[in-house]
Amino acid sequence: RPILMARCDMMRAMFSGDFREGSAKVILFPGVRTDTFRQLVSFLYCDDVSTVLPTRCLDLLELANRLCLQRLVNLVEKRVVEELSRICSVADNGDVVEHCLRLLEPCKLHNADQLADWCMNHLCVNYNKLCKMSPKLLRSLHPENQDYLTEHRWPPVWYLKDYDYYDKCYHEREREDRLLFKRGSTGGGCLCFSRAGGEGSIVLA
C-alpha cells in the first residue's frame, strides 16, 4: 500500500481517509479487466508501460483517467501513436483510419487529448479514404467532429476543383496539339515549293 499511495493521489486518499477501502483486505475495481489492472500495477511500480495495442487501449485510458493518473494517460497515448505509426509504415493505412475513427471520441472522453488530436489529424489527411471506407462510422461522429473534418480535410474542396479544372484544360490542350500536329504532317514541305512537277516549274539539278 505505501507504494500505491506514493504513486497515486487517488489511492492515497482512498487508503488514508475515512473510506471503507482504508480497512478492507480486498478492494474491488469494478469493470476493470485483469490485463488492464496488470498494466496499471506495472506503471505504478516501474513508471512505464509496455506496448499498448490500439484495440485494447481504451480500458487502460479509462482506468488511468478514473485514478487521475495523467502521466499514465500520456504514456498510453505515446505507445498507441507509436503502434499506429508502425502500422502505417508496414501496411496500407486503411486499418489506421478505422482505428482513429473508433478512438477519436472515447479519447476525448478520457482526457487523452494528444491521442485524439493525432487521430483527428490522420483522419483529415486521409479524408477521401475515410469517406470511401467508413461512411457509416463517419456519420456516427459528433456533428462538431464531422464539421471539423470537413473544414480541415486534405485535399480541400477548392484544391480538388482547381485540380479538376487544370486537368480538363491540360487534356484539351493536348488534344488541340495533336490535331495541329496531324494537319502539319500532311503537307509536302515548304509552301514556296508545294507545286513540284507542275507546268512552268523549274527543277534544280
Side-chain angles (χ1 to χ4, degrees):
R1 287 193 180 189
I3 294 178
L4 300 180
M5 293 171 66
R7 294 281 290 138
C8 178
D9 293 339
M10 185 74 72
M11 289 189 178
R12 180 168 66 247
M14 182 173 64
F15 290 137
S16 61
D18 295 329
F19 300 103
R20 62 183 179 182
E21 288 84 2
S23 58
K25 294 182 179 180
V26 177
I27 300 172
L28 299 178
F29 279 79
V32 178
R33 297 188 315 194
T34 303
D35 58 331
T36 302
F37 192 78
R38 285 200 186 103
Q39 288 176 304
L40 170 66
V41 173
S42 175
F43 165 76
L44 293 175
Y45 277 83
C46 305
D47 195 41
D48 199 4
V49 290
S50 57
T51 301
V52 181
L53 298 177
T55 54
R56 306 294 293 272
C57 69
L58 290 178
D59 290 339
L60 187 54
L61 285 173
E62 188 275 333
L63 181 59
N65 187 50
R66 189 198 307 181
L67 296 175
C68 301
L69 293 170
Q70 188 57 44
R71 174 165 170 75
L72 177 55
V73 172
N74 294 340
L75 285 172
V76 174
E77 290 177 311
K78 182 175 183 293
R79 294 289 181 259
V80 173
V81 169
E82 289 174 350
E83 182 64 17
L84 291 174
S85 300
R86 186 193 66 78
I87 296 173
C88 283
S89 66
V90 299
D92 181 45
N93 66 356
D95 291 339
V96 177
V97 169
E98 189 168 343
H99 285 316
C100 289
L101 264 177
R102 297 184 183 279
L103 289 174
L104 177 61
E105 293 186 345
C107 284
K108 291 185 176 183
L109 179 65
H110 301 316
N111 293 316
D113 296 328
Q114 295 179 94
L115 180 53
D117 289 344
W118 193 94
C119 291
M120 183 68 84
N121 179 72
H122 189 82
L123 292 174
C124 288
V125 172
N126 296 276
Y127 187 83
N128 288 342
K129 181 174 290 187
L130 166 63
C131 293
K132 294 177 182 178
M133 287 181 51
S134 306
K136 291 184 179 180
L137 280 176
L138 177 59
R139 289 193 296 269
S140 69
L141 293 177
H142 190 278
E144 289 184 1
N145 291 326
Q146 293 187 49
D147 292 342
Y148 184 93
L149 287 171
T150 302
E151 182 180 355
H152 297 88
R153 57 173 290 177
W154 182 260
V157 176
W158 64 263
Y159 175 87
L160 294 175
K161 290 181 178 179
D162 286 354
Y163 182 82
D164 288 341
Y165 178 73
Y166 166 80
D167 195 52
K168 179 182 177 181
C169 293
Y170 179 80
H171 287 299
E172 287 180 355
R173 179 62 183 270
E174 273 194 331
R175 186 165 57 253
E176 291 174 358
D177 289 345
R178 284 196 298 268
L179 290 174
L180 289 174
F181 179 77
K182 287 180 180 179
R183 291 173 184 172
S185 62
T186 57
C190 179
L191 294 177
C192 299
F193 304 101
S194 60
R195 296 178 57 195
E199 183 180 353
S201 61
I202 299 175
V203 178
L204 298 178

